[in-house]
Amino acid sequence: MGDDADPAMEAVDALRAANIAVAPVGEELERWQIGDLVFSDANVWRLAASRGLVEVDP
């Protein structure tokens, strides 16, 4: 991930690449709907990381 990359968008892209439907909630792109749940940017990142879909810095 580059210095300018948005970690939340990287996580959203990774989840979508894994065929997980992710939709923005509102216009600010700070909340994401996955199924019946709404996640913050940080929680979307954690979800993608827990599934090994994004690289986690040691």
Side-chain angles (χ1 to χ4, degrees):
M1 173 173 64
D3 291 337
D4 295 334
D6 180 359
M9 287 306 300
E10 179 184 356
V12 167
D13 291 342
L15 289 165
R16 288 177 175 162
N19 292 320
I20 298 170
V22 181
V25 175
E27 296 179 16
E28 298 300 317
L29 298 180
E30 294 176 354
R31 301 268 181 225
W32 304 93
Q33 183 171 357
I34 301 173
D36 292 335
L37 303 174
V38 175
F39 293 83
S40 67
D41 283 350
N43 287 333
V44 165
W45 173 260
R46 287 184 192 103
L47 179 64
S50 73
R51 295 192 171 31
L53 299 174
V54 293
E55 186 175 326
V56 179
D57 294 331

